[in-house]
Every structure is written in structure tokens, then in C-alpha cells.
Amino acid sequence: MKTNPDTKTEITFEDFKAEVVNDYKLAVTSRECSLLGRREVLTGKAKFGIFGDGKEIPQIAWAKAFENGDFRSGYYRDQTFMMAIGELTIEQFFAGLYANTDIDEEPMSAGRQMGGHFATHSTDEHGNWKNLTEQKNSSSDISPTAGQMPRLLGLAQASKIYRNVEGIDTTKFSRNGNEIAWGTIGNASTSEGLFFETINAAGVLQVPMVISIWDDEYGISVHAKHQTTKENISEILKGFQRDDQYKGYEIFRVNGWNYAELVDTYQRAAQISRKEHIPVMIHVLQLTQPQGHSTSGSHERYKDQNRLAWEVEYDCNAQMRQWIIANNIATDEELSVLEKDIKKAVRDGKKSAWAKFIKPMLADKKNVIALLENMAASSANGAFIAKLKNDLESIDEPLRKDILSTARKALRYVVSEDIAEKLALQNWINNYIAQIQPKYSSHLYSASSLKAIDQKEVLPQYDGSSTEVDGRIVLRDNFEALFRKYPEALVFGEDAGYIGDVNQGLEGLQEKFGELRVSDTGIREATIVGQGIGMAMRGLRPIAEIQYLDYLLYALQIMSDDLATVQYRTVGRQKAPLIVRTRGHRLEGIWHSGSQMGGILNLIRGVLVLVPRNMTKAAGFYNTLMESDDAALIVECLNGYRLKEKMPSNMGAFKTPIGVVETIKEGEDITLVSYGSTLRLVEQAAKELLEVGIDAEIIDVQSLLPFDLNHDIVKSIAKTNRVMVIDEDVKGGASAYILDQILNEQNAFQYLDSPPRTLAAQPHRPAYGSDGDYFSKPSTEDIFETVYDVMHEMNPVDFPKLR
């Protein structure tokens, strides 16, 4: 069921009545889903519920202004809107509540997200782009409050790029940039910094973005007086209102229970934003939340009787019902019949969704019970197995956990028995895990034919005219080649435009490609990444520059909760192949030379983490990524821009492989594993170790996520029988991650004749100055002495104690 999207043409009064009644029918349907959904949680069939009750009428008005090609970036109250645009049925609503893992039954996330988190499919089952201009689009929701805002900025900016940059193939992505990005947020969440950062950035960029603020005066139990100055977000933001002198926002206020005014407001907002490419804010006031925040509690605990009584009277559905009757659009009796029919339709949809959810589990239960019966009859421990079987049989509606847990426990009773029934159960368990585990774990990274790990290495080429230049020149000229090759490529960040970034890796490119493709931004890291996510979701190839690795912390929440989970939370039906560019390591001082790699590695699984040792390797990574559809973070060596490198002749074409290590020095005595700037220290230490008879093999990790897919490090350890990981992150950070990969994933322990070692930085940020660097992070002497100590433990005669 969806609203009539055509409100611009002349219609008869009968058509108007039919449209209004259909809208009311949709509002009641959504409300009944919320009410019944809460009951399903309280009865235990669903784990948690968070619903859109009280927001139905404004969302219907919004849907009328939403056109094909538009994008939504909302939050977990927008179920009525999704129903109104025809992207959420009753059955799909309940399938999401039950966490059905069938993408056809639960198209929002195949059970990976709780109900209320919505998405449309931007790609097909193979990861290929669909035509986004022919459908209504919703970027996949996330739960963190205001976390949808940075992405919203990028979705809107994409329209500006498509309208104003020539040469891009827009066939599947835009019609002259006419698309609006629509955002929604609760009034309490406007207190988050991400909201203010996005509002400011959109005002500066002047992009077609319409943000709806659903205002029911509360944030869970906390009233607006504790949330917002003057208790009114549009009041304190009225300085953003555009006027004859300044660009800014168009700001509307409208009551959330007034159907006619809501429809008019959203039509006007859409017309202004779509035509003039400006941001619009709609503050939707006097909304209610009839069931409280979620199924975790009751709003009667924190709302007084006056407020509760007001909410009953000004419930948007109740107000629309009164308006329909007062305007002779339908009678009370007609609406009562309609409401009764809707209750039945929602109950029937719920029953159907549950039946489809539980059907495969009932079949699995039947199979396991048969296996256990057979095994019990043949085993000396048959009585114990029979009890497990009976316990499973007593569960009328089992989950996969119940079934598999029972089967695995039963296997323990026949571990010493050689019977055919044991083999049958083993095979069932192994096959079941292989079949079911991907339903919960697939698509952390791209699974398409474009995935990064399938991109083959192309070596840099050098000819007789190749000269040695600063590393930044290699990077700069390679970016220029990429921008000529890919019209949809763009880069933006602090100082990235006019001066060509602080290290001149983009020198002169703004003059060549224009301010929209090579642009400066404000100091606002979270929305820089958000710009990239949104634009990447719409088919552009953005490179978002974060000036220093330390500053990535401002954007880490967005990278972790949004970018890193896009493929996973949509089972590959959305993608955002954003490249985040930054630089770090080996400078001076606490704030420009931190190494947060341990935190980054743990927080952004789903984003490739690439750590090139020089600018040629970095350029190769950019070339590889532009041909793939994975998101990635590239950390360039901050002290490498002025070091000399040979200029390749095949700019834009050579590719550094992802997930592949490189042996940069062969040796026999110990394997030294490192990456980035620290490798230069390792190389120097290796030269000095040769002077005392220690021949070290050096391996450049290159790619931390993914890590050494070919398991080349363990092959080296099989030869040297010793390993040390050197890293400038703090102890237990990236070095611990690398060692875990080597020992547990590559099973290198069997080849070790000496304990594995790690050498990392002190547990604090580096102190200022060259001495601060020396005493804070691993030095050449630290590497030398630690390796020497390993050899001393192995052979104290040939390598007497150094100190």
C-alpha cells in the first residue's frame, strides 16, 4: 500500500476523497503494526521493538513529495513512510521484527538489524548497481542517534555534483541532479554534535537536503527542557534562515497532527529544494509517541496525566479521523468498518510472517530429532541422548540455536563410539553450520566481481626517462591520472583544494579539475567522511581526506557504525566504495603522531586498512581501489612525502595488491614483520644486524585488513623459525593483532624455535621533538637490541649478552 504520489495535477473531489481515505487507511495500518508488534515482543516472539507510532501523518505527507531517484537517510521511526512509498508491507514489517534471515522475506537487512531499520536495494544480488533513478531509495538505517546525518549530507551533495560536473555517466544515478536527500531525526537527537556539524556543512555547501525533525518533546524519558535551549530547535537555528543577503536554509514549522498543512508544507519544501538546490528544515511539532520510546519501558513512568491526556486528543491519527468526518470525506461508521478490516489484515500479515519464519526451523527440528532417535538406539549413552531429543521435541517453535545446540551436545555422548549414526550427526552439524553461518556473517566486505582482493597486481613501470622525485610528486601525478580516467572521482578535505593538501599531494589539481572535484572543507571530520559515504552510495567515487591519522578519531564513530557495516547490514544490497585518505606516524608531538591502529583495526572491520610504506605503493592502492567496490582507509607515511622515489611511467595503471605482503629482504635467522614508516627503521637495523652475523628477513605487511591472504609470513617463519613484529602503535595494539593472525590464523607456532616477540611504542602518545620520538617509539637501536636478545637466548655463546 502506498500513497498517491501525484498531488500536482487537478483531481475531482471524489478522487480527493479516495486519496485521503487511502492515506488514513495507511496510517491506521502502520499504527496497528506498531501495536501488534509491541505485543509480539512482550510475548517473546521478538527480541525488541521500536516503532513509528505517533509519526504516521507527517510521514504520509512527506511520501507524497518524495520522487523516484530521491534518497532517504532516516532513523528507526519511519515505518509509515516506507509503507507509503511501497517499500514495506505488513509481512515484511513482522519479518523484520522476527529477524527472518531470508532477504526476500525481510529485504531491509535479512534479520541482521532489529525492526525499524529500513533500506531499499541499490544493487542486485551480484552487487551490480540498479537504476536508482527509477526507484525510491532509502539508505540503510543505523541506530546511533544522529548517525544518519553525515551520510545525509553526502547523499544531497551527490545531486550537486551530478548537476554541475560534466563527463559523468549519470544513467543509473541521477537526472540532472534533481534528486533530494531527505533526512529525519528525533528532536532529542538534535542535541548530538553530528546534527549541528551536518546542519552547518549543508548550509555552507548549499545542497538539496530536506531534514524533518520529529518533535514529541521527549528523548526517551528526558524532556526537551533538558535537551534544547529554549526547548525549540528551530527557534535556536533560525539564524540559519536564508535572506536577501545570506545563503542558508528555508525553515518551516508545522504541527504533526494537521494533515492538510503537512501535505502543503512538504510540497513547498520539495519544490524549493529540488529547484534551487538549497537545504530545507521542517520542524514537525506537537507529535506524540503513544507506546513510549520502545518495548524496554512505559512512558507512563515519566509523563504526567495532563500530558498523557493531551497525547490522546492530539494523536495524529485521531486528529485526521476527526478532520475526515468534519469535512464529509467519510462517516464514522465507514471509518469503523475500515479500521476493523485493517486490524484483521495486520493480524493475518503477522501470522503469515511468523509461519514463513518458523517453517525452516520446524523442518530442521524434525531432521535432528530423527538423527537423535537413531543415535540413541545405537549408543551406550542412549538415555542421555534421548533426553536431549525429548527436550528439543518439547519446544514447539524452536530457533536455530535450540536445534544446533542440541545436536552439538548430543555428539559429546558418542565421542568414543564408532557408529554410523555418529557420522550422520557429524555430517549434519558440519553441513548445517556451513549453510547457516553465512546468513549471519556474509558480506562484511564486497562479494561482487569487483571486490578488492580480486584485483591483480600491476607493477610500476620505469623507462630511461624515469627520474627520482619527491614521493609527493608520484602521488600527485597519479591522482591527476585517476581524475582524468574517472570523471566521477573527487577529493575533498581540510586544505585539500586550493593549496593541494598540506603535503602537496594534490598540488595544482583544483585548478585543473575545478572546485567541485578537488575541494576544501571546514574542520569537521565526521561530515567529511559522511559526505564520502553518501556520495559513494549514489555511484560517485569520493576520496575523503582526513588531514592526520589522529584526527580520524572525530570520524571513527561514523566509519565504524555506518561505513564499515554498509555491505554487512544490507547483505550486499547497498555499497559505499569510499576511500578515506589520511597520513600519520613518525612526526613530533602528542597530537600529530599518534598511532591508533589497534583501535582502528577493531572498530572498522568491513573497511580495508592499507598501510603503504611509500608513495608509489600508496598510489598503487588508490589505483586498485578505483577499480573495486570496497571501502578503504589508506594511511600514507607522513615523513615520506619528501623522500625520493623513482617516477613510474604507467601512472594510474599500476596496482598494489590488497591482502598481499611483500618480502623486501630475504634472510635466514629471523622474520621481521612491520609496515609503514617503521619499515625504514627495520631496514636500517637489519643492515646493522648483518654486521654481527644476524641475517633477518623483512616482510612488509602492506595491508592490515585483510591480512596476508596467501599466508606468506608463515612460509618465512618455517624457514627462519623465529618472528618479531615491530610497530609504532602501543603495546597490545596492531602488533598484537598481527601476531594473533600469524599464530592463530596461520598456525605458525609449530615452526617457532624461539618465543615470538613484539616491539611496540610506549603506552603514551609520543612526546614532542626528536628526542620525544626516540624515547616514545621503537628506534633502530630498540629493534637491533631486541632481535639480538632473541638470538642471545638461542645461542648465548655466539651472541653474548649485550646489556
Side-chain angles (χ1 to χ4, degrees):
M1 182 194 310
K2 59 183 177 180
T3 65
N4 180 353
D6 186 4
T7 60
K8 297 176 182 177
T9 59
E10 293 294 328
I11 60 174
T12 68
F13 184 64
E14 291 304 314
D15 290 337
F16 170 71
K17 288 200 302 183
E19 181 179 336
V20 171
V21 171
N22 185 64
D23 288 348
Y24 180 70
K25 181 179 179 181
L26 177 59
V28 175
T29 300
S30 180
R31 178 66 60 86
E32 287 300 318
C33 285
S34 296
L35 296 172
L36 190 52
R38 182 180 180 85
R39 288 198 288 272
E40 289 297 275
V41 174
L42 298 180
T43 59
K45 282 189 173 180
K47 293 284 287 184
F48 180 78
I50 192 159
F51 306 109
D53 48 299
K55 316 296 188 291
E56 293 90 351
I57 305 306
Q59 291 184 20
I60 289 171
W62 164 28
K64 291 177 179 295
F66 196 93
E67 296 184 2
N68 284 352
D70 285 359
F71 259 87
R72 166 189 169 273
S73 182
Y75 83 138
Y76 39 73
R77 303 287 186 199
D78 294 345
Q79 73 195 43
T80 309
F81 170 79
M82 294 300 291
M83 290 178 171
I85 64 170
E87 293 295 338
L88 180 67
T89 66
I90 295 170
E91 285 194 26
Q92 289 167 349
F93 173 88
F94 285 101
L97 199 63
Y98 301 141
N100 192 321
T101 56
D102 186 336
I103 191 76
D104 294 324
E105 300 296 334
E106 203 284 270
M108 304 302 151
S109 72
R112 296 183 178 187
Q113 296 215 81
M114 67 179 71
H117 292 70
F118 306 112
T120 54
H121 294 181
S122 298
T123 62
D124 62 22
E125 63 272 22
H126 305 296
N128 301 311
W129 288 110
K130 299 171 71 175
N131 191 326
L132 304 184
T133 70
E134 296 178 348
Q135 64 183 41
K136 294 178 170 64
N137 303 287
S138 173
S139 59
S140 175
D141 293 338
I142 58 176
S143 284
T145 53
Q148 71 275 24
M149 293 295 293
R151 178 200 335 138
L152 172 65
L153 178 66
L155 291 169
Q157 188 180 4
S159 291
K160 184 172 184 177
I161 299 298
Y162 282 127
R163 179 172 287 185
N164 295 286
V165 175
E166 296 181 356
I168 304 175
D169 181 2
T170 65
T171 305
K172 293 184 177 182
F173 304 110
S174 181
R175 292 178 177 167
N176 195 37
N178 290 330
E179 303 79 21
I180 296 173
W182 300 81
T184 65
I185 191 169
N187 61 294
S189 294
T190 63
S191 299
E192 293 278 12
L194 292 175
F195 172 81
F196 283 95
E197 187 173 320
T198 303
I199 291 297
N200 179 60
V204 170
L205 291 171
Q206 289 291 285
V207 290
M209 178 184 101
V210 181
I211 177 72
S212 297
I213 302 168
W214 309 139
D215 193 342
D216 57 24
E217 294 190 18
Y218 285 86
I220 308 183
S221 67
V222 181
H223 190 268
K225 64 186 178 183
H226 302 297
Q227 305 273 4
T228 310
T229 303
K230 300 183 179 180
E231 300 181 32
N232 189 317
I233 188 65
S234 61
E235 177 66 21
I236 64 173
L237 292 180
K238 65 184 181 182
F240 283 84
Q241 174 68 52
R242 64 177 182 162
D243 55 33
D244 293 338
Q245 185 177 2
Y246 295 108
K247 295 179 179 180
Y249 279 73
E250 194 64 45
I251 301 177
F252 295 96
R253 295 184 190 179
V254 60
N255 289 329
W257 46 264
N258 193 320
Y259 171 77
E261 287 190 10
L262 284 161
V263 171
D264 178 66
T265 299
Y266 274 92
Q267 292 297 321
R268 287 190 290 143
Q271 184 178 13
I272 292 170
S273 187
R274 202 179 302 280
K275 180 181 178 181
E276 300 181 42
H277 261 210
I278 67 161
V280 178
M281 186 184 308
I282 304 175
H283 188 186
V284 184
L285 297 145
Q286 296 193 12
L287 286 169
T288 67
Q289 202 154 276
Q291 296 188 117
H293 175 74
S294 70
T295 53
S296 293
S298 170
H299 65 152
E300 285 84 0
R301 291 185 301 161
Y302 52 84
K303 292 177 182 175
D304 62 28
Q305 291 303 311
N306 290 334
R307 174 69 192 190
L308 292 170
W310 180 90
E311 290 199 4
V312 171
E313 182 180 357
Y314 281 90
D315 179 284
C316 61
N317 286 13
Q319 285 287 314
M320 184 175 182
R321 194 182 197 278
Q322 293 176 22
W323 181 83
I324 289 172
I325 295 170
N327 286 275
N328 298 317
I329 294 171
T331 66
D332 177 76
E333 292 77 11
E334 290 170 335
L335 295 180
S336 295
V337 171
L338 180 146
E339 291 157 358
K340 182 178 179 181
D341 291 343
I342 289 172
K343 287 178 183 289
K344 182 180 184 303
V346 173
R347 286 196 303 270
D348 290 345
K350 184 266 296 185
K351 291 176 183 176
S352 176
W354 179 256
K356 290 176 180 178
F357 169 73
I358 203 67
K359 182 179 178 180
M361 274 77 98
L362 294 175
D364 295 337
K365 170 187 170 181
K366 183 178 179 181
N367 290 336
V368 169
I369 285 173
L371 289 168
L372 295 182
E373 283 180 343
N374 293 337
M375 198 164 72
S378 303
S379 172
N381 289 315
F384 298 102
I385 297 168
K387 182 181 184 308
L388 287 173
K389 187 267 294 184
N390 292 337
D391 289 344
L392 178 59
E393 209 164 22
S394 68
I395 303 175
D396 293 330
E397 296 174 322
L399 298 177
R400 291 188 174 106
K401 170 191 172 184
D402 302 316
I403 299 162
L404 183 56
S405 175
T406 299
R408 293 169 76 178
K409 288 177 180 177
L411 201 58
R412 301 171 192 173
Y413 290 112
V414 293
V415 65
S416 301
E417 299 182 27
D418 186 15
I419 56 177
E421 292 79 4
K422 168 186 167 183
L423 179 60
L425 185 62
Q426 287 174 328
N427 288 337
W428 185 91
I429 291 171
N430 292 335
N431 291 335
Y432 193 71
I433 292 174
Q435 172 196 352
I436 299 301
Q437 187 67 51
K439 294 180 181 294
Y440 303 93
S441 301
S442 71
H443 292 87
L444 181 58
Y445 299 93
S446 171
S448 79
S449 60
L450 297 175
K451 58 181 176 288
I453 61 173
D454 284 354
Q455 303 296 321
K456 302 303 181 185
E457 180 177 20
V458 177
L459 293 172
Q461 296 175 3
Y462 303 96
D463 55 34
S465 63
S466 295
T467 59
E468 289 206 338
V469 298
D470 288 350
R472 73 173 185 88
I473 301 297
V474 176
L475 207 56
R476 181 198 67 187
D477 289 3
N478 191 75
F479 277 132
E480 180 173 351
L482 286 179
F483 273 56
R484 296 196 186 283
K485 184 177 181 180
Y486 300 100
E488 65 273 23
L490 58 155
V491 63
F492 46 91
E494 298 157 16
D495 300 304
Y498 184 73
I499 69 168
D501 89 42
V502 291
N503 297 101
Q504 299 289 276
L506 300 170
E507 179 190 25
L509 297 189
Q510 186 180 85
E511 185 176 354
K512 293 178 180 179
F513 297 102
E515 293 185 12
L516 287 176
R517 293 189 66 192
V518 183
S519 55
D520 289 308
T521 70
I523 299 177
R524 47 174 181 79
E525 285 78 10
T527 46
I528 290 173
V529 171
Q531 285 176 250
I533 296 171
M535 286 193 280
M537 281 184 157
R538 291 192 57 190
L540 295 169
R541 294 310 312 267
I543 301 171
E545 179 169 314
I546 303 299
Q547 196 164 87
Y548 295 107
L549 180 64
D550 305 71
Y551 302 168
L552 195 72
L553 296 182
Y554 284 100
L556 201 52
Q557 185 265 323
I558 295 302
M559 291 186 67
S560 178
D561 291 327
D562 198 353
L563 181 62
T565 66
V566 168
Q567 294 258 8
Y568 174 76
R569 71 181 190 265
T570 63
V571 198
R573 298 306 173 90
Q574 290 187 4
K575 58 184 177 181
L578 166 64
I579 302 171
V580 179
R581 178 193 183 211
T582 191
R583 53 192 66 81
H585 307 323
R586 311 310 300 203
L587 194 62
E588 275 98 20
I590 292 174
W591 309 118
H592 290 81
S593 54
S595 181
Q596 301 85 10
M597 297 307 298
I600 290 168
L601 288 170
N602 286 305
L603 288 169
I604 64 169
R605 302 293 171 97
V607 175
L608 308 177
V609 177
L610 310 176
V611 282
R613 69 178 182 270
N614 59 38
M615 299 309 152
T616 303
K617 288 290 184 180
F621 277 137
Y622 288 111
N623 297 341
T624 300
L625 290 169
M626 289 300 291
E627 295 190 13
S628 83
D629 60 359
D630 273 296
L633 167 68
I634 297 180
V635 184
E636 298 167 9
C637 295
L638 186 52
N639 61 358
Y641 295 104
R642 303 292 174 179
L643 297 180
K644 299 299 182 182
E645 298 182 35
K646 203 170 184 180
M647 177 71 85
S649 59
N650 55 336
M651 284 297 183
F654 61 90
K655 296 192 290 186
T656 308
I658 288 172
V660 178
V661 304
E662 181 179 356
T663 300
I664 57 178
K665 178 190 175 300
E666 295 191 355
E668 300 293 330
D669 296 325
I670 188 170
T671 299
L672 303 182
V673 180
S674 191
Y675 63 87
S677 297
T678 307
L679 269 168
R680 290 194 283 276
L681 303 182
V682 174
E683 290 181 279
Q684 179 59 38
K687 291 178 183 178
E688 296 173 9
L689 286 164
L690 278 174
E691 297 173 2
V692 295
I694 300 172
D695 186 13
E697 184 148 299
I698 303 174
I699 293 180
D700 178 8
V701 168
Q702 299 196 107
S703 171
L704 288 167
L705 290 176
F707 182 86
D708 190 11
L709 297 174
N710 299 325
H711 289 192
D712 289 327
I713 294 177
V714 72
K715 298 170 190 173
S716 172
I717 295 170
K719 176 178 66 172
T720 66
N721 307 118
R722 279 166 285 277
V723 65
M724 186 167 83
V725 178
I726 304 98
D727 172 50
E728 65 174 79
D729 196 9
V730 296
K731 294 178 176 67
S735 58
Y737 161 79
I738 292 170
L739 191 60
D740 173 75
Q741 290 286 312
I742 293 170
L743 296 181
N744 292 319
E745 296 297 323
Q746 300 189 12
N747 196 26
F749 192 82
Q750 60 183 317
Y751 300 113
L752 290 173
D753 291 338
S754 299
R757 299 288 290 270
T758 62
L759 177 62
Q762 296 297 319
H764 52 72
R765 294 286 184 96
Y768 175 64
S770 295
D771 284 345
D773 177 82
Y774 186 85
F775 286 97
S776 300
K777 294 188 175 184
S779 65
T780 302
E781 289 72 36
D782 292 331
I783 298 167
F784 180 100
E785 292 177 6
T786 307
V787 172
Y788 188 92
D789 187 54
V790 172
M791 303 304 292
H792 165 73
E793 291 173 0
M794 183 272 298
N795 185 350
V797 175
D798 289 347
F799 302 100
K801 188 172 181 63
L802 190 61
R803 65 179 177 90

